[in-house]
Amino acid sequence: MRLMTVLVAALSVAGAASAQTVRVTIDRATTAEIIREVHRAVESSMGAVGGDIGDALRAIAGHGGALDHLDAVLAQARTFKAEQTDRETRTLAIGPSGTLDLDTLSGDITVTAGGGRDATIEIIRRARGSTDADAKLGLDRVKAAVDQRPDRARVRAVYPDERSSAYSVDVSYVITAPAGTHVTAATVSGHVTITGIRGDVEVRVTSGRIDLTGSRVSQAKTVSGAVTLTDVE
């Protein structure tokens, strides 16, 4: 049975700063349950910082079977030499003040303000594998789902529920949207860059950088990475 190691790095700022590392080995069949318990314990003992770490654990658990794929990305990316890339462009009719909900497991999210009433998104899927066939298999199995409704669109990366894979896939988004768009962006491993969006902006990152410029920000959280805010409200 495969086991997963969760490494939680927490920083306590009461008095002199000190780093703690907690290593927990868990049976993958009970991952979600144990993550909930770890979240409660960490949040109880470490207050606000523990809450942020708990949020990150919940975000990872929420991707379900994709957690196995993230293991593959981290463990095998250096050994995968073959690469295949697919780019798809979609137009999303969300209006001048609609909502965009963007979610990926491994990949970057870039949003820039533009004119008009529609948003344009380029979905970039980059697959790696030991062979070209393995990389192509990754593109066949990992998709981006787009749910379009009036004034709202949700885009999320969808990974197969499999215990192991011969590939790793990053799913990134490059978006131009009306300045009044409300944007929610989340990635477990990747960077988020948002420029000129005056609707509410909410960003959650587990490992990666956040850069927000000329935007109205309601939340910007990263567990591991820098947050840069320039001319924000």
Side-chain angles (χ1 to χ4, degrees):
M1 181 175 294
R2 294 188 63 223
L3 298 178
M4 179 188 73
T5 299
V6 175
L7 180 64
V8 179
L11 179 65
S12 174
V13 293
S18 61
Q20 300 179 15
T21 299
V22 181
R23 188 175 294 275
V24 185
T25 303
I26 58 179
D27 188 319
R28 196 174 294 277
T30 57
T31 296
E33 173 95 16
I34 294 179
I35 283 179
R36 285 193 293 270
E37 291 300 322
V38 172
H39 166 237
R40 284 194 286 266
V42 172
E43 189 173 42
S44 173
S45 63
M46 300 195 66
V49 175
D52 288 346
I53 293 171
D55 289 344
L57 292 171
R58 283 203 307 266
I60 294 171
H63 282 276
L67 191 59
D68 288 291
H69 184 81
L70 186 58
D71 284 346
V73 172
L74 297 175
Q76 300 172 329
R78 293 182 180 178
T79 65
F80 287 162
K81 304 302 183 183
E83 182 174 310
Q84 299 272 337
T85 300
D86 178 81
R87 296 174 180 267
E88 176 189 6
T89 301
R90 299 277 298 268
T91 298
L92 306 173
I94 60 172
S97 57
T99 298
L100 274 179
D101 185 358
L102 309 165
D103 190 289
T104 188
L105 177 71
S106 176
D108 299 334
I109 300 174
T110 302
V111 184
T112 305
R117 298 175 54 85
D118 298 337
T120 301
I121 180 170
E122 183 182 25
I123 301 169
I124 305 165
R125 293 179 299 130
R126 183 175 61 176
R128 299 184 182 90
S130 299
T131 66
D132 288 337
D134 288 340
K136 185 178 184 302
L137 181 63
L139 290 183
D140 290 340
R141 292 189 175 177
V142 178
K143 303 294 184 180
V146 179
D147 182 12
Q148 171 75 71
R149 301 181 182 182
D151 300 328
R152 176 183 294 270
R154 183 188 184 197
V155 185
R156 61 188 180 91
V158 180
Y159 290 80
D161 187 2
E162 54 190 12
R163 293 301 182 186
S164 63
S165 62
Y167 55 81
S168 68
V169 183
D170 296 337
V171 182
S172 297
Y173 311 130
V174 178
I175 302 107
T176 301
T181 303
H182 302 263
V183 175
T184 299
T187 179
V188 173
S189 178
H191 306 311
V192 175
T193 303
I194 298 178
T195 305
I197 297 297
R198 294 297 182 176
D200 288 336
V201 171
E202 181 178 343
V203 180
R204 299 184 306 276
V205 175
T206 301
S207 178
R209 185 181 65 250
I210 298 174
D211 293 312
L212 305 178
T213 303
S215 300
R216 180 179 298 163
V217 179
S218 61
Q219 183 183 82
K221 282 187 175 183
T222 179
V223 174
S224 176
V227 177
T228 302
L229 306 177
T230 305
D231 189 26
V232 301
E233 299 178 19

